Amino acid sequence: DSGVTQTPKHLITATGQRVTLRCSPRSGDLSVYWYQQSLDQGLQFLIQYYNGEERAKGNILERFSAQQFPDLHSELNLSSLELGDSALYFCASSVGVQSYNEQFFGPGTRLTVL
Amino acid sequence: AQSVTQPDIHITVSEGASLELRCNYSYGATPYLFWYVQSPGQGLQLLLKYFSGDTLVQGIKGFEAEFKRSQSSFNLRKPSVHWSDAAEYFCAVGPNSGNTPLVFGKGTRLSVIA
């Protein structure tokens, strides 16, 4: 158990809908990272927050947004969903802001868009 | 742009046999290098990392990896594979400063047969 929790574990929704994925980092970790894992693209970095502020942005679509709250949990919002958004979404946390700090991954949320 | 190549999509080894998973990277500066493992239904877990110093690094679960600058490689090895090692293995490269995101390879799936 990494100490990182993600809810829900599975999500099935329809095209055009909006969903929110939630992540609680390990106790004491200030950084939260979001990744998308798909069969064709592999593991893609989406966005990083550190202590409530956005610190790095990757291949995140404009339809996607995230935030980190004062209690350090984070949410990833996906809107106007398309079939291609079906993937496993991971959250990871680490102590510091540098990406080379060990990242602890949650179990993921599997999103299926029908 | 930085990239990571894991040439083997799927490898099958017999239990007790030795293992080597290949990783080649392209990076403009001296990188930090990582190997993560993803067991079925789980998030990623850090196996080992190379920052500097001894080019042979030891990790958890009996794994080791060797950094070869001249070959831009960071191959993962284990002398005797156990059935529980069956998983997906990801090599990643990151900066030695700042918080430029890690770049992950597409992974190598390891199957272990009796």
Side-chain angles (χ1 to χ4, degrees):
Chain A
D1 184 357
S2 67
V4 178
T5 60
Q6 290 187 248
T7 56
K9 289 195 71 159
H10 302 276
L11 202 46
I12 301 174
T13 188
T15 54
Q17 295 298 303
R18 173 190 168 94
V19 297
T20 297
L21 313 183
R22 183 188 167 103
C23 168
S24 292
R26 284 189 331 153
S27 177
D29 285 356
L30 298 179
S31 267
V32 169
Y33 302 80
W34 286 99
Y35 293 89
Q36 179 192 59
Q37 185 180 40
S38 60
L39 282 175
D40 54 342
Q41 295 291 324
L43 194 65
Q44 297 285 311
F45 168 74
L46 295 178
I47 198 164
Q48 178 202 5
Y49 278 82
Y50 177 78
N51 204 20
E53 292 189 8
E54 180 186 306
R55 295 305 297 262
K57 212 164 186 175
N59 300 318
I60 187 166
L61 300 171
E62 284 193 15
R63 300 184 285 108
F64 295 2
S65 65
Q67 55 184 324
Q68 187 180 28
F69 295 86
D71 66 353
L72 300 177
H73 91 270
S74 177
E75 293 181 356
L76 179 67
N77 300 295
L78 316 176
S79 61
S80 303
L81 286 167
E82 302 175 359
L83 296 177
D85 297 328
S86 296
L88 199 50
Y89 290 85
F90 285 109
C91 162
S93 72
S94 68
V95 170
V97 67
Q98 296 88 351
S99 61
Y100 57 71
N101 288 304
E102 180 174 356
Q103 295 183 28
F104 294 85
F105 283 74
T109 293
R110 182 169 295 281
L111 173 66
T112 303
V113 182
L114 301 175
Chain B
Q2 49 264 43
S3 65
V4 177
T5 301
Q6 294 180 246
D8 304 305
I9 295 173
H10 184 204
I11 284 182
T12 300
V13 301
S14 298
E15 192 169 15
S18 63
L19 170 71
E20 182 168 31
L21 302 183
R22 296 182 291 163
C23 172
N24 292 97
Y25 67 89
S26 172
Y27 204 79
T30 302
Y32 286 177
L33 295 157
F34 308 81
W35 275 99
Y36 279 84
V37 60
Q38 182 181 19
S39 298
Q42 311 265 329
L44 280 71
Q45 180 186 20
L46 181 67
L47 279 177
L48 49 78
K49 61 190 177 191
Y50 171 77
F51 282 4
S52 65
D54 192 346
T55 56
L56 185 64
V57 293
Q58 302 297 319
I60 62 171
K61 306 186 183 191
F63 285 92
E64 66 178 27
E66 185 172 12
F67 170 58
K68 293 185 177 180
R69 185 187 303 275
S70 61
Q71 298 176 21
S72 296
S73 69
F74 188 57
N75 294 348
L76 182 71
R77 301 196 293 247
K78 186 168 185 178
S80 178
V81 167
H82 188 261
W83 65 266
S84 60
D85 293 325
E88 187 102 22
Y89 292 80
F90 294 91
C91 180
V93 61
N96 57 18
S97 62
N99 63 323
T100 304
L102 297 185
V103 174
F104 285 83
K106 295 210 169 177
T108 296
R109 185 160 63 92
L110 173 66
S111 296
V112 180
I113 57 176

